[in-house]
């Protein structure tokens, strides 16, 4: 099953840009198709792989940078930009 995800991260700290840049870089290194935007990052791939990457990346973010709020919109299907 193919997933399309829009993920937004809101680090709860004054210096919020670096954690977001590092999160996007980690997602891009995952091998999934990643499209970074101004208000969120889109992630596309097979269900099991996407969910594993999301879980790993969020855990890494909490352990590395502390408290953050994540907002994810997850849709079954291929919503990649054409």
């Amino acid at each position: 099953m193919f997933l399309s995800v829009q993920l937004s991260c809101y680090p709860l700290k004054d210096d919020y840009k670096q954690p977001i840049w590092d999160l996007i870089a980690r997602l891009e290194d995952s091998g999934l198709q990643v499209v970074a935007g101004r208000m969120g990052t889109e992630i596309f791939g097979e269900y099991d792989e996407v969910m594993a990457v999301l879980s790993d990346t969020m855990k890494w973010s909490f352990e590395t940078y502390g408290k953050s709020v994540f907002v994810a919109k997850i849709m079954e299907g291929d919503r990649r930009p054409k």
Side-chain angles (χ1 to χ4, degrees):
M1 173 187 324
F2 199 86
L3 287 185
S4 298
V5 177
Q6 183 183 50
L7 182 69
S8 297
C9 175
Y10 304 97
L12 301 178
K13 58 191 320 174
D14 290 335
D15 180 24
Y16 62 89
K17 289 182 182 179
Q18 192 63 51
I20 293 171
W21 293 332
D22 291 347
L23 182 97
I24 292 169
R26 189 173 178 92
L27 289 170
E28 290 173 338
D29 289 344
S30 73
L32 296 173
Q33 183 176 356
V34 175
V35 178
R38 294 189 59 78
M39 296 299 294
T41 300
E42 295 176 304
I43 306 149
F44 305 96
E46 291 298 322
Y47 181 92
D48 290 335
E49 188 176 2
V50 169
M51 296 307 282
V53 167
L54 287 176
S55 177
D56 178 67
T57 302
M58 288 188 294
K59 182 178 180 182
W60 167 85
S61 176
F62 292 138
E63 291 173 346
T64 304
Y65 291 109
K67 294 185 186 335
S68 291
V69 175
F70 285 91
V71 177
K73 298 176 190 174
I74 303 171
M75 181 180 150
E76 187 276 326
D78 188 350
R79 301 295 297 168
R80 288 180 282 190
K82 304 280 184 220

